[in-house]
Amino acid sequence: MEDGKLGVAIHGAGWVAGAHAESWKKNAHARIVSVGDLDEDRARRFAAEHGLDCAVRTDYEEALGDDRVDLVDVTSPSHVHAEQGIAAAEAGKHVLVEKPIALTMDENRRLRDAVAAAGVKSLASFCLRWNPALVSLKSLVDAGHVGRLFYVEMDYWHGLGPSHHAWGLHSRIKTGGSAMLLGGCHAVDAMRWIAGDEVAEVAAFSNNQKGLFEYDANVVAVMKFRGGTVGKTSALFDCEMPYQFNIDLAGTEGTIRDNRLWSRRLFPGQTSWTTIPTILPDSGDVYHHPFDAEIHHFVDCILHDRESHCNMADAYRSHELCLAIDRSIVEGGKPVKLPLE
């Protein structure tokens, strides 16, 4: 740390990196000291656009060897997230990895283990854990205002097509992975977090209506949690509609639907749904995502030497569930038990 600030290296100068950069700039305890990308011109444009006076690199190893770098923010294409996250941890750098953190169970395990072995702090960018609506719902569930959850449902419906950012990478199995890994992972992670439990078994089906993706673009999965709660999630990329993230939580004493609450425990005289005034996860624009709160949280974890609730060890479980869903699809909807390893 120089001048008491964490030195941040952003690697991958794409769309989401820009939103990260603006959030890093708002944190008083961090400073961007390096921007990297395979395309040097793009990295230089990125630095200029965001008003950054920092090193501009194409060599990732050079960034890892820079003593000013305390933390690496991996915002490169999905298929190199695990490799670059592992290298950062092994270089003794704290590491933030955009989702998905891995595309295979081998990558998933190696990244988790590399972070643990290095003793560095880590964060997976499941930004919905800082979305105001989901933070409110988590608080209501944990306080018992809907009783014991017996059903959870979250859906990621995001119509994607060739005009979307990084389409050439998103649409490929090698670089995009699957519908669940590319986008559905947000719903999977939020379900685990809100339920406070792990999935014991999952079964899934899919189709590919438009044929735009190398993998099936539309997935539906049903699951049973260890504690008995049942759930459902879906990821739809072929849908023709505005971005939508559906939330349904049914408990023994109340129900939550998006930002609408029914709880006689909390509101004894309630006669209709109570609407919670909050910010819903209702946009696919990365500048709408709560990266400010996510990054402030990570900096706080580093400065106070504590683990994040969304570190690589926890994100490993969300990715394991996504990969179990993909396995069930390959096996024709056969139920898959977790853990996979």
Side-chain angles (χ1 to χ4, degrees), residues 2 11 59 93-94 140-141 174 192 196 204 206 211 219 248 304 310 319 326 334:
E2 288 187 356
H11 198 76
D59 188 338
K93 311 297 185 183
H94 305 297
L140 289 166
V141 169
K174 180 179 178 181
R192 285 186 55 248
S206 65
V219 175
D248 285 290
H304 295 91
C310 198
H319 287 75
D326 290 344
K334 178 182 176 181

Side-chain angles (χ1 to χ4, degrees), residues 255-273:
T255 302
I256 295 169
R257 307 204 72 187
D258 297 327
N259 64 331
R260 292 174 295 154
L261 170 66
W262 180 269
S263 171
R264 287 280 177 81
R265 171 181 286 191
L266 193 58
F267 303 115
Q270 188 171 11
T271 58
S272 63
W273 291 98

Side-chain angles (χ1 to χ4, degrees), residues 54-187:
C54 66
V56 175
R57 299 181 162 103
T58 58
D59 188 338
Y60 184 58
E61 293 299 323
E62 183 180 319
L64 296 183
D66 187 338
D67 290 339
R68 297 175 304 159
V69 174
D70 302 296
L71 181 156
V72 179
D73 185 350
V74 178
T75 53
S76 48
S78 299
H79 65 293
V80 295
H81 284 177
E83 170 190 338
Q84 293 182 350
I86 291 167
E90 291 178 342
K93 311 297 185 183
H94 305 297
V95 60
L96 187 161
V97 182
E98 254 301 331
K99 60 81 195 164
I101 64 170
L103 299 185
T104 67
M105 275 303 294
D106 180 62
E107 289 181 347
N108 197 24
R109 182 188 64 256
R110 289 193 297 111
L111 177 56
R112 177 200 63 186
D113 293 350
V115 166
V120 296
K121 296 294 183 286
S122 65
L123 186 75
S125 191
F126 282 127
C127 57
L128 290 187
R129 295 202 187 195
W130 291 272
N131 169 264
L134 284 172
V135 170
S136 296
L137 303 190
K138 174 68 171 171
S139 176
L140 289 166
V141 169
D142 287 353
H145 293 310
V146 295
R148 181 180 59 81
L149 285 181
F150 60 85
Y151 179 75
V152 296
E153 177 177 347
M154 295 193 188
D155 304 299
Y156 180 92
W157 295 353
H158 190 180
L160 297 178
S163 64
H164 194 271
H165 172 75
W167 170 253
L169 295 173
H170 286 172
S171 61
R172 299 173 185 167
I173 293 174
K174 180 179 178 181
T175 54
S178 70
M180 293 310 301
L181 288 166
L182 180 60
C185 60
H186 278 305

Side-chain angles (χ1 to χ4, degrees), residues 199-270:
V199 170
E201 188 174 18
V202 63
F205 295 91
S206 65
N207 60 30
N208 203 12
Q209 291 299 105
K210 296 181 180 179
L212 296 175
F213 294 78
E214 289 184 358
Y215 47 84
D216 279 0
N218 314 296
V219 175
V220 178
V222 294
M223 61 205 72
K224 183 177 181 178
F225 288 79
R226 293 176 186 174
T229 300
V230 294
K232 171 251 175 183
T233 189
S234 63
L236 306 182
F237 288 174
D238 281 341
C239 58
E240 291 290 342
M241 57 180 286
Y243 177 97
Q244 179 73 35
F245 191 92
N246 303 317
I247 305 167
D248 285 290
L249 308 170
T252 54
E253 298 188 47
T255 302
I256 295 169
R257 307 204 72 187
D258 297 327
N259 64 331
R260 292 174 295 154
L261 170 66
W262 180 269
S263 171
R264 287 280 177 81
R265 171 181 286 191
L266 193 58
F267 303 115
Q270 188 171 11

